Amino acid sequence: MRYARITAAVLAALAGWQLLAQFRVNLWLRFSQFPTVAETAREFARRLGTATYWQDVSDSLTRIVGGFALAAVLGVAIGTALARSPVVSDLCGPLLEVLRPIPAIALVPVAILLFPSNEQGIVFITFTAAFFPVTVSTRHAVQALTPVWEEAVRTMGGGRWRVLRSVVLPGALPGILGGLSVGIGVSWICVISAEMISGEYGVGYRTWQDYTIVDYPGVFVGMATIGLLGRLTSTVVERLGRRLTRWLPRTERGPGASAGGRARWRTVRTTVGEPS
């Protein structure tokens, strides 16, 4: 039933778009210049067969992967240090709090001045967009850990690195993954904007070029591509997170939820003393 509802919602949205664009409806919202679903689909199919389209996709994905991977590593490390070390918190915390409200896309002029090429500047914008959500989520997740776990490891002779490896990172992992999920979405917003402003190739650059030459089907193809790529990368992050936290009890709420999964969760709840 869930698959049926999802399919029906998508088809209804596409049908509404087709009718509004086909009949050039102009009420408060104007659809007179919108391409229809059929026109967009034909342009999408045509571009799938061109090398330029796949080069744009490859360039955007490369920028996202490079910037996001760097943000994930540094964000987790710095967020953990901020939560665990008063010295790091005093030295770096105020500076990060001042920089955090600045939109990453506003740093485009800074990136142009700092880096010798546009490519490096766009990766920097992507990194900045993901860095702060990951850092803040990591810091809060580490601070929320119960001290009992750390005390138990220290009682058994564990040192600082053992506590970090066995208690801090595993315990904070769900919060860290939440920050990563937010970060990948914000990264896409900023990398597309940066490509529109100063990029050479990329989905954002191509979408803006289509707009300047009044190729509206091409604009909608770019939008659809951005949405699909964003969904793909978000799914990768979520699947990786579920694999890393497979030891956590969870309900099976996806479209493929099985009776066996629900039964296992009821068993866990009963075991810890909750009513089934």
Side-chain angles (χ1 to χ4, degrees):
M1 289 299 297
R2 292 202 64 192
Y3 282 122
R5 289 196 297 267
I6 292 171
T7 303
V10 172
L11 291 178
L14 292 176
W17 172 10
Q18 176 70 27
L19 292 174
L20 290 170
Q22 182 175 351
F23 292 102
R24 308 300 180 192
V25 176
N26 281 323
L27 299 174
W28 182 63
L29 297 175
R30 299 174 298 172
F31 294 91
S32 57
Q33 297 188 52
F34 263 46
T36 64
V37 176
E39 292 170 344
T40 304
R42 284 195 295 269
E43 180 64 15
F44 205 159
R46 185 190 70 80
R47 294 198 178 192
L48 287 175
T50 63
T52 302
Y53 176 84
W54 293 109
Q55 181 179 356
D56 290 335
V57 170
S58 175
D59 288 345
S60 293
L61 281 175
T62 301
R63 292 160 178 166
I64 279 287
V65 171
F68 180 73
L70 185 60
V73 174
L74 292 182
V76 171
I78 295 176
T80 303
L82 289 171
R84 301 279 298 174
S85 172
V87 175
V88 175
S89 180
D90 292 340
L91 293 177
C92 301
L95 178 61
L96 292 176
E97 288 301 319
V98 171
L99 295 176
R100 184 163 66 93
I102 302 175
I105 196 61
L107 298 176
V108 169
V110 177
I112 293 174
L113 294 174
L114 280 177
F115 296 96
S117 69
N118 288 341
E119 188 70 24
Q120 295 170 347
I122 293 174
V123 173
F124 168 74
I125 296 299
T126 307
F127 158 77
T128 306
F131 172 75
F132 289 105
V134 175
T135 301
V136 172
S137 297
T138 302
R139 184 184 64 186
H140 289 319
V142 172
Q143 289 175 339
L145 293 176
T146 175
V148 175
W149 299 345
E150 180 176 346
E151 293 169 1
V153 175
R154 291 191 181 278
T155 300
M156 294 185 289
R160 178 181 301 178
W161 292 108
R162 181 60 182 270
V163 169
L164 182 66
R165 185 175 67 253
S166 301
V167 174
V168 175
L169 292 180
L173 192 55
I176 294 172
L177 292 170
L180 292 174
S181 182
V182 173
I184 191 68
V186 179
S187 293
W188 271 111
I189 295 173
C190 291
V191 73
I192 294 300
S193 301
E195 288 176 349
M196 289 181 175
I197 295 173
S198 61
E200 297 177 5
Y201 297 105
V203 178
Y205 169 82
R206 193 67 53 193
T207 301
W208 183 253
Q209 291 300 308
D210 290 332
Y211 173 75
T212 58
I213 63 175
V214 199
D215 182 3
Y216 293 129
V219 172
F220 278 79
V221 169
M223 294 168 59
T225 303
I226 295 166
L228 292 173
L229 291 175
R231 177 59 179 170
L232 173 63
T233 51
S234 296
T235 300
V236 171
V237 172
E238 291 173 4
R239 292 290 179 87
L240 178 61
R242 291 181 66 87
R243 180 173 293 275
L244 292 176
T245 59
R246 58 184 180 273
W247 45 273
L248 287 173
R250 58 168 59 89
T251 53
E252 296 289 341
R253 296 186 180 274
S258 63
R262 291 191 292 269
R264 286 192 298 272
W265 174 238
R266 285 196 296 269
T267 301
V268 171
R269 294 179 63 190
T270 305
T271 302
V272 298
E274 296 183 17
S276 62

